[in-house]
């Protein structure tokens, strides 16, 4: 096909036009039909002929053609040409620019948008010189702007600029140039900035350019994810009109720049709240924040902010002075906040401190939670795990320095764990007291010689000695606390001073003893003994002096360090004998001041005479009616003390573990006895006041399925696991489809394998969204970097210098000398005289097996999450993570499940393993019944890491039950096929193995554990090191049985998993 | 001018403990060790670092060498009348080779000369050879001691084509700290099952108190407080601490205190900073310290 040459038509024009045409023609002949070619050439040539300088525009048309003809469909191309023609008519210069930028701009547009874009430019030209300049600038800027904006956003921008142009054409041109320069550098925040601009143009167009001028400098100071919000805040302020936005951007961002990035979200939250009230103070607030945050925590910042808001609402002037830090109230508040100590910041320290003191895991909670727990179901959950709790206040701001405030926490914690440390709960009925003669044995027999002391535990038996249970318990508690207070001060002299402060404070808060009836007053006296450093310093009304003297004499031995809880019991017996005889009647107020006990009167007198005298004096002074006995209020710092519950729980636990160990349940008679006794206790408690222990015990019984049969007539039912299945007998299975595998299962009762018992199906995990991987990497960015560093340090060990090689990099001096010696001494030298690097590579293969049972769907302990709300971690990294999860919750109202954390951990681990290049596989398992064990391949051990693996990780989700045995066996078979010097098998689970029919008549737990254990032993016999990691708090129980001498770890805190897993792996394989 | 000798040096075979080391038995370990020595059984000492394994060996070397306690069969060879049996301690590390233990030829001028390694010397001299931290040694080195640990009691010296029969009094003792959470560093069973194993733990509070009092020279109250601190800090093992504080560290702390350093400060230096780099745990330990010490 021949195309017309058009040589003649190009002749009138300068040679550069002709050459541009020729080049374009050569390119066009290849892609256009004859007809199209003609249309194309005509379009350009017609344009060239139109006016004097229009050939220049036409030249650009031809220059741009080769590129555009390739990218644009011809019809759209012609549309582009058509609009060029239109422009040429207006102004050849504009058209020239239009054509020149064509290839660049059209690349960022969809074909059908080209005309829109041209029209947008055309619309800017109104015939004036200024508009022509603007229009040219527009076309020039289009390429850059369209890289970041969509066409409609560009339209939006131009609309703004045009409206500025109505006021000032120069301003409009300047704004457009600036936009072109600034907007692309803002990346993802461009839209927010555009929106701010439109607000500004609406309110005060003069600020628009200033704003664009500073935004590029200002934004990088703000945490990346918060930049859009920062701009939105500026926009909001712009709407109010009382803030200069460029200044705000400049100074606000500078202030934020002084604060750690992870706090920005918090500060911006507060600033936004403030913007809703009074826009003018927002900048003041932001300016002040860096200084304020140097003194107080973010949490406290909120308090400070709230205070300011309150003032602001009443008095805008005062409010703005507050935020500028110019008001006395603001200064004073900062002072108070900055010396206060929040529990959240020291919780972890206190937890470890308590752990150190007691060797037990101690939970930390707020006093308010205690009330909630006693009533709600949560209580039993917590109580059933036997976890001791320490109750600490949310914040201590009593003193004007941090040390004293912190010491307060420490004293409270030390006292509360003293119950554990000095064995209040280990009371044994038959253990003799150290300091007192023992009355218990004879009391236990009673007058007629029949046993009076009965109860499920020793402490129950002890309280059974008394008619008035609540009174005895109050006396016991008060006296035991007295013992502990003294003991702690002896054992921990370092906190003695702080301790005295706490006690003095508690003493001040005691109710008036004058208003108490006599018996209660006596108990109150006992409580006060413990709060007073020296007995003689205790100030009481005159009529109680006798009481102080006598009761003080009885409890005095308990202040010695060798006093035991049995001594407390003996003292309780003696005190009870006195106090229970005192009628609980109001005591007439006597004239005269409160006084102290004269020193010389302390001690030395005969006890019996003293008791008699006390009784007489109290009986004498009685007046009025006998009132029911009510316990005096508890001393706050002393926390919860319920020895009966603790003993009962540990008793139940013992019987449980016994059952577990011997495979024999506690005998029915035993349980019934326990039940009957507990009911006694219940009734007793109800006779007095229904106290906490009473409620607890009922709940405990309920938990065991033992509730409410006072006569014990109902047949005793032990709650069996619902998965219990009678159809345990069955036949070996057969493989019917590919990718199915049969495994034996160990039956510990038979002490043999059940052949071909489980059918396992291997499946590829479905593919989810790879963004989960990216998001996780993002949100753990700091941790990822940390892990990477740690793992990179592992690698050089593989670069170990290997001596005694037959060939290598260099001579090994030692070997060479040895060889020389051999030669001289006439023996044959060893020829291995070289050393070489990197011969022994790290050669580790590992398989991770992920438990995908339904239980992993559980939200991570909701109650804990709320408790954590005030528990902001101190570590910035953790804080960030905490904040993110918290914010995520707020936005999406979603919660994290165990599996989510497991998945996140896998992501981090994959990343780490890729760093060191170990061979690894990741699998998940779940299933239902022995014929349906599903085994999911997330990353096969021989498979390379890829996008698909990332997507599969996302897909891991909770399914059914946990039959661990066959899954372990299959995972191990995967490892067997790999050549590696060291092989590991990692099991990550959230609880004990269980499945339908993973059982033998009611011993399901044991059966499953034994089978799992056997599978792990098999692994070890194959030279594979197994390791189990669980996030189940009760994991110690069965993991100990399951793993024995194999490695295992129980993570108390599931959130520790992402951090712990890589570290663990690194340590194990080191 | 005569050079002043500021040190004493011994031939390895001649190094005997001359003064009775201070050792408080926790259980029946002394009887067990004596029986093992009499029966020529090799012994494995397990236990966390700084709980007294080395001191125990020193003590036993002294005790077994005392004339009155002389175990039948062991003939004092003249050199060790002053104290105990010679004690040869070899710290194991991963570059320890067979010839480091057994011996090697050395070049001397144009000649070669054979030099016995410490193990060979101990075998010849009838010393107690104590291989500290045996897991650190390479596995091929570890197998070298196998023939010494069974009924043969021989040490083959390959280079010279000799076989050394152990002296009557020779005894092999290895120590091992199972606290390492590394699966790659574990004793092979073939090695492990050649030793009778004695397990050591940190001494109970009362004993530790006496040890501290004796070793660091602090008064009884202070020793008690330090022992209390030791017990409390050990409660944090596996809760952030890989290992509890060793008796050795407590002794050092006590010595600092005896030298006039304030107790709180000494504990910080000797316990919390020495144990961990984790600021959180350091802080918790410090709080325990501040509670116990004024």
């Amino acid at each position: 096909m021949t195309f017309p040459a058009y040589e003649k038509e190009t002749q009138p024009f300068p040679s550069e036009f002709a050459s541009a045409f020729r080049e374009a023609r050569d390119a066009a002949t290849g892609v256009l039909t004859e007809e199209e070619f003609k249309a194309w050439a005509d379009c350009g040539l017609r344009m060239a002929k139109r006016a004097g300088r229009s050939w220049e525009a036409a030249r650009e048309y031809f220059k741009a053609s080769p590129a555009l003809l390739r990218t644009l469909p011809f019809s759209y191309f012609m549309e582009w040409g058509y609009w060029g023609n239109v422009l040429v008519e207006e102004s050849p210069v504009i058209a020239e620019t239009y054509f020149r930028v064509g290839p660049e701009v059209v690349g960022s547009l969809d074909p059908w948008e080209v005309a829109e874009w041209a029209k947008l430019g055309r619309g800017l030209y109104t015939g004036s010189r200024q508009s022509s300049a603007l229009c040219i600038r527009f076309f020039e800027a289009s390429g850059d702007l369209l890289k970041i904006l969509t066409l409609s956003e560009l339209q939006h921008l131009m609309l703004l600029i045009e409206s500025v142009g109505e006021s000032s054409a120069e301003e409009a041109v300047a704004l457009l140039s600036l936009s072109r320069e600034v907007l692309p550098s803002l990346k993802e925040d461009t839209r927010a900035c555009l929106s701010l601009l439109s607000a500004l143009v609406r309110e005060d167009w003069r600020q628009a350019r200033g704003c664009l001028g500073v935004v590029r400098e200002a934004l990088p100071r703000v945490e990346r994810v918060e930049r859009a919000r920062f701009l939105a805040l500026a926009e909001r302020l712009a709407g109010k009109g009382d803030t200069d936005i460029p200044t705000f951007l400049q100074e606000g961002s500078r202030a934020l720049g002084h604060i750690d990035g992870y706090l920005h979200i918090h500060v911006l939250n507060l600033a936004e709240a403030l913007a809703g009230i009074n826009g003018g103070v927002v900048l003041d607030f932001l300016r002040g924040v860096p200084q304020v945050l140097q003194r107080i925590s973010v949490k406290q910042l909120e308090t400070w902010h709230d205070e300011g808001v309150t003032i602001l609402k009443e008095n805008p002037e005062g409010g703005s002075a507050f935020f500028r830090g110019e008001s006395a109230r603001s200064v004073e508040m900062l002072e108070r906040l900055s010396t206060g100590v929040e529990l959240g910041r020291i919780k972890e320290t206190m937890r470890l401190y308590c752990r150190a003191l007691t060797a037990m895991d101690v939970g930390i909670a707020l006093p308010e939670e205690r009330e909630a727990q006693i009533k709600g179901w949560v209580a039993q959950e917590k109580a059933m795990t036997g976890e001791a709790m320490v109750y600490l206040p949310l914040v201590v701001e009593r003193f004007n320095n941090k040390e004293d405030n912190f010491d307060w926490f420490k004293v409270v914690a030390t006292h509360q764990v003293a119950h554990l440390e000095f064995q209040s709960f280990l009371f044994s009925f038959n253990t003799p007291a150290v300091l007192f003669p023992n009355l218990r044995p004879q009391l236990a027999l009673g007058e007629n010689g029949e046993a009076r002391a009965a109860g499920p535990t020793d402490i129950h038996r002890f309280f059974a000695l008394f008619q008035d249970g609540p009174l005895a318990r109050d006396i016991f508690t008060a006296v035991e606390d007295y013992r502990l207070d003294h003991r702690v001060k002896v054992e921990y002299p370092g906190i003695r001073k702080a301790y005295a402060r706490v006690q003095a404070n508690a003493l001040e808060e005691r109710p008036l003893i004058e208003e108490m009836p006599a018996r209660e007053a006596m108990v109150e006296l006992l409580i006060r003994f413990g709060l007073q450093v020296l007995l003689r310093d205790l100030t009481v009304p005159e009529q109680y002096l006798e009481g102080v003297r006598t009761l003080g004499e009885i409890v005095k031995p308990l202040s010695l360090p060798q006093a035991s809880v049995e001594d407390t019991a003996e003292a309780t017996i003696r005190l009870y004998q006195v106090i229970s005889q005192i009628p609980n009647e109001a005591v007439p107020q006597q004239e005269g001041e409160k006084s102290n006990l004269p020193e010389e009167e302390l001690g030395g007198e005969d006890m019996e005479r003293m008791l008699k005298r006390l009784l007489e004096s109290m009986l004498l002074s009685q007046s009025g009616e006998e009132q029911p006995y009510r316990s005096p209020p508890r001393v706050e710092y002393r926390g919860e003390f319920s020895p009966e519950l603790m003993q009962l729980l540990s008793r139940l636990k013992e019987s449980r573990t016994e059952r577990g160990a011997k495979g024999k349940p506690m005998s029915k008679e035993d349980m019934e006895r326990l039940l009957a006794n507990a009911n006694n206790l219940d009734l007793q408690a109800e006779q007095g006041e229904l106290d906490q222990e009473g409620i607890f015990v009922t709940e405990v019984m309920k938990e065991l399925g033992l509730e409410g049969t006072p006569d014990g007539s109902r047949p005793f039912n032990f709650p069996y696991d619902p998965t219990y299945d009678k159809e345990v007998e069955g036949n070996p299975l057969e493989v019917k489809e590919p990718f199915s595998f049969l495994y034996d299962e160990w039956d510990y009762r038979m002490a043999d394998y059940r052949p071909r018992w489980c059918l396992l199906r291997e499946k590829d995990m479905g593919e989810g969204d790879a963004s989960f991987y990216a998001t996780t990497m993002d949100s753990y960015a700091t941790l990822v970097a940390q892990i990477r560093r740690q793992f990179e340090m592992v690698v050089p060990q593989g670069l170990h210098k290997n001596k005694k090689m037959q060939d290598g990099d260099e001579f090994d001096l030692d070997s060479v000398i040895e060889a020389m010696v051999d030669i001289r001494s006439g023996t044959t030298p060893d020829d291995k005289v070289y050393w070489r690097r990197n011969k022994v590579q790290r050669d580790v293969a590992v398989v991770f097996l992920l438990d995908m049972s339904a239980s992993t769907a559980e939200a991570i302990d909701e109650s804990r999450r709320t408790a954590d709300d005030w528990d902001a971690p101190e570590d910035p990294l953790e804080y960030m993570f905490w904040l993110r999860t918290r914010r995520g919750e707020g936005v999406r109202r979603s919660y994290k499940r165990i599996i989510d954390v497991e998945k996140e951990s896998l992501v981090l681990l994959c990343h780490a393993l890729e760093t060191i290049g170990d061979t690894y596989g990741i699998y998940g398992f779940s299933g239902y019944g022995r014929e349906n064990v599903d085994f999911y391949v997330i990353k096969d051990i021989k498979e390379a890491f890829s996008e698909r693996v990332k997507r599969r990780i996302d897909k891991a989700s909770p399914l059914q039950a946990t039959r661990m045995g066959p899954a372990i066996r299959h995972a191990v078979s995967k490892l067997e096929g790999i050549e590696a010097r060291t092989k590991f098998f990692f099991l990550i689970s959230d609880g004990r193995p269980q499945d339908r029919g993973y059982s033998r008549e009611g011993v399901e737990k044991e059966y499953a554990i034994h089978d799992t254990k056997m599978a792990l032993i098999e692994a070890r016999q194959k030279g594979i090191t197994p390791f189990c990691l669980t996030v189940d708090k009760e994991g110690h129980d069965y993991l100990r049985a399951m793993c024995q001498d194999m490695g295992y770890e129980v993570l108390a805190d599931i959130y520790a998993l992402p951090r712990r897993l890589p570290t663990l792996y690194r340590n194990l394989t080191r | 001018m005569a050079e002043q000798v500021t040190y004493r040096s011994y031939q390895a075979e001649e190094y005997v403990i001359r003064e009775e080391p201070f050792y408080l038995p926790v259980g029946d370990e002394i009887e067990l060790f004596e029986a093992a020595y009499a029966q020529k059984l090799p012994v494995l000492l397990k236990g966390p670092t700084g709980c007294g394994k080395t001191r125990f060996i020193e003590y036993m070397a002294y005790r077994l060498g005392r004339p009155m306690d002389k175990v039948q069969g062991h003939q004092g060879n003249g050199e060790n009348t002053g104290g105990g049996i010679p004690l040869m301690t070899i710290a194991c590390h991963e570059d320890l080779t067979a010839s480091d233990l057994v011996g090697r030829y050395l070049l001397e001028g144009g000649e070669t000369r054979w030099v016995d390694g410490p193990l060979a010397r101990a075998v010849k001299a009838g010393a107690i050879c104590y291989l500290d931290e045996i897991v650190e040694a390479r596995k091929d080195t570890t197998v070298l001691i196998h023939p010494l640990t069974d009924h043969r009691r021989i040490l083959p010296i390959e280079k010279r084509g000799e076989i050394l029969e152990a002296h009557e009094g020779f005894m092999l003792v290895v120590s091992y700290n199972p606290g390492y959470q590394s699966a790659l560093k574990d004793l092979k069973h073939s090695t492990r099952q050649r030793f009778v194993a004695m397990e050591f733990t940190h001494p109970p509070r009362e004993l530790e108190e006496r040890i501290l009092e004796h070793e660091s020279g602090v008064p009884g109250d202070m020793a008690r407080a330090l022992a209390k601190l030791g017990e409390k800090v050990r409660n944090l093992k596996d809760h952030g601490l890989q290992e509890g504080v060793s008796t050795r560290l407590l002794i050092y702390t006590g010595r600092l205190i005896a030298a006039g350093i304030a107790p709180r400060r000494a504990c910080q230096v000797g316990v919390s900073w020495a144990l961990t780099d984790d600021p959180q745990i350091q802080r918790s330990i410090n709080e325990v310290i501040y509670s116990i010490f004024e």
Side-chain angles (χ1 to χ4, degrees), chain A residues 145-398:
Chain A
L145 287 172
L146 281 171
K147 281 198 187 90
I148 189 81
L149 301 178
T150 63
L151 183 65
S152 66
E153 281 165 340
L154 183 65
Q155 282 166 334
H156 183 177
L157 176 69
M158 292 322 293
L159 215 63
L160 295 177
I161 288 174
E162 264 185 297
S163 80
V164 171
E166 281 164 21
S167 315
S168 156
E170 272 166 42
E171 186 73 21
V173 173
L175 197 57
L176 180 58
S177 312
L178 205 55
S179 298
R180 176 193 184 182
E181 205 180 311
V182 172
L183 287 183
S185 69
L186 299 183
K187 301 203 180 83
E188 68 267 28
D189 301 312
T190 316
R191 269 154 210 98
C193 185
L194 211 56
S195 153
L196 169 63
L197 275 184
S198 78
L200 282 174
V201 169
R202 213 167 39 238
E203 297 297 329
D204 177 9
W205 60 267
R206 281 180 190 82
Q207 289 187 9
R209 189 145 67 98
C211 174
L212 264 185
V214 295
V215 78
R216 193 162 35 154
E217 185 191 343
L219 277 192
R221 301 192 193 113
V222 184
E223 180 75 1
R224 215 184 79 208
V225 290
E226 305 303 336
R227 286 174 195 162
R229 265 185 80 197
F230 180 65
L231 291 174
L233 179 64
E235 185 183 336
R236 197 160 161 194
L237 295 177
K240 300 209 169 230
D242 46 6
T243 311
D244 182 54
I245 298 305
T247 321
F248 172 81
L249 289 177
Q250 187 77 285
E251 298 198 7
S253 69
R254 197 169 289 150
L256 285 172
H258 288 301
I259 309 169
D260 286 339
Y262 65 91
L263 295 174
H264 289 185
I265 172 178
H266 227 94
V267 173
L268 285 175
N269 278 343
L270 298 179
E272 270 172 15
L274 217 48
I277 302 162
N278 183 336
V281 298
V282 173
L283 186 55
D284 285 332
F285 168 72
L286 281 182
R287 278 191 194 121
V289 162
Q291 277 96 31
V292 172
L293 273 184
Q294 278 177 0
R295 301 185 56 189
I296 61 177
S297 72
V298 192
K299 191 82 198 164
Q300 289 168 324
L301 180 71
E302 238 166 72
T303 319
W304 180 75
H305 170 269
D306 289 349
E307 177 79 17
V309 166
T310 320
I311 299 175
L312 191 68
K313 279 180 183 158
E314 290 164 8
N315 172 4
E317 279 300 305
S320 90
F322 182 94
F323 284 113
R324 280 198 303 274
E326 287 167 5
S327 80
R329 196 144 157 213
S330 162
V331 173
E332 178 202 328
M333 177 119 186
L334 273 181
E335 186 65 40
R336 191 165 61 78
L337 286 175
S338 64
T339 53
V341 175
E342 295 163 88
L343 178 59
R345 300 199 145 224
I346 56 151
K347 197 175 171 194
E348 191 54 25
T349 309
M350 291 321 295
R351 203 179 59 74
L352 283 173
Y353 175 81
C354 294
R355 162 85 211 176
L357 257 47
T358 61
M360 280 183 229
D361 285 320
V362 176
I364 309 260
L366 289 172
E368 296 83 67
E369 285 174 53
R370 170 171 48 194
E371 322 299 336
Q373 278 168 17
I374 286 164
K375 295 185 187 96
W377 180 241
V378 209
Q380 284 77 46
E381 293 256 322
K382 280 229 164 109
M384 291 312 285
T385 60
E387 193 182 52
M389 295 302 284
V390 166
Y391 297 97
L392 298 176
L394 182 56
V395 65
V396 175
E397 296 166 344
R398 289 167 194 269

Side-chain angles (χ1 to χ4, degrees), chain A residues 22-58:
Chain A
R22 268 196 302 278
E23 258 171 55
R25 187 189 59 195
D26 295 346
T29 40
V31 285
L32 299 180
T33 64
E34 193 174 349
E35 208 173 310
E36 286 171 347
F37 181 84
K38 206 159 159 292
W40 166 76
D42 283 347
C43 172
L45 292 171
R46 203 169 54 241
M47 197 156 32
K49 288 175 202 151
R50 186 176 306 272
R53 299 190 65 84
S54 69
W55 65 269
E56 287 177 346

Side-chain angles (χ1 to χ4, degrees), chain A residues 688-706:
Chain A
E689 260 193 325
L690 191 66
D691 64 346
Q692 292 147 9
E693 281 81 26
I695 301 172
F696 257 137
V697 170
T698 342
E699 293 298 338
V700 168
M701 292 300 132
K702 214 188 277 166
E703 156 82 357
L704 285 171
L706 303 173

Side-chain angles (χ1 to χ4, degrees), chain A residues 906-1069:
Chain A
L906 283 184
V907 168
L908 298 185
L909 197 71
C910 277
H911 180 75
L913 288 171
E914 288 297 321
T915 316
I916 48 173
D918 287 354
T919 314
Y920 68 102
I922 301 174
Y923 306 95
F925 73 99
S926 184
Y928 183 64
R930 66 187 178 105
E931 52 296 278
N932 284 309
V933 181
D934 291 332
F935 190 84
Y936 295 93
V937 179
I938 297 173
K939 177 188 173 298
D940 200 43
I941 191 154
K942 289 175 182 158
E943 186 182 353
F945 184 70
S946 64
E947 281 295 313
R948 296 187 60 194
V949 174
K950 291 184 186 176
R951 286 201 290 272
R952 286 196 207 125
I953 292 178
D954 180 45
K955 202 70 181 174
S957 52
L959 297 164
Q960 294 158 325
T962 325
R963 203 180 194 97
M964 283 183 187
I968 294 175
R969 292 187 177 96
H970 191 64
V972 163
S973 77
K974 294 266 180 192
L975 263 176
E976 271 186 292
I978 296 289
E979 283 285 326
R981 189 178 305 240
T982 324
K983 296 177 184 177
F984 285 95
F985 167 74
F986 248 84
L987 179 68
I988 305 168
S989 76
D990 74 321
R992 60 172 74 241
Q994 57 189 121
D995 186 19
R996 176 179 66 85
Y998 209 16
S999 63
R1000 283 282 166 284
E1001 281 120 47
V1003 289
E1004 55 283 287
K1005 284 172 182 169
E1006 280 67 38
Y1007 182 86
I1009 284 171
H1010 277 88
D1011 178 49
T1012 310
K1013 176 180 164 189
M1014 195 46 84
L1016 291 173
I1017 291 174
E1018 288 161 27
R1020 207 163 54 168
Q1021 282 161 354
K1022 289 170 183 160
I1024 295 161
T1025 312
F1027 193 93
C1028 298
L1029 186 65
T1030 184
V1031 294
D1032 181 4
K1033 269 192 188 160
E1034 286 170 64
H1036 278 298
D1037 294 352
Y1038 56 90
L1039 276 177
R1040 201 173 295 133
M1042 215 160 83
C1043 300
Q1044 288 185 339
D1045 55 341
M1046 286 171 263
Y1048 74 89
E1049 184 164 310
V1050 177
L1051 277 183
D1053 180 7
I1054 173 133
Y1055 284 107
L1057 188 65
R1059 174 181 293 265
R1060 185 64 190 146
L1061 190 56
T1063 315
L1064 196 65
Y1065 179 75
R1066 192 172 55 95
N1067 286 347
L1068 272 176
T1069 58

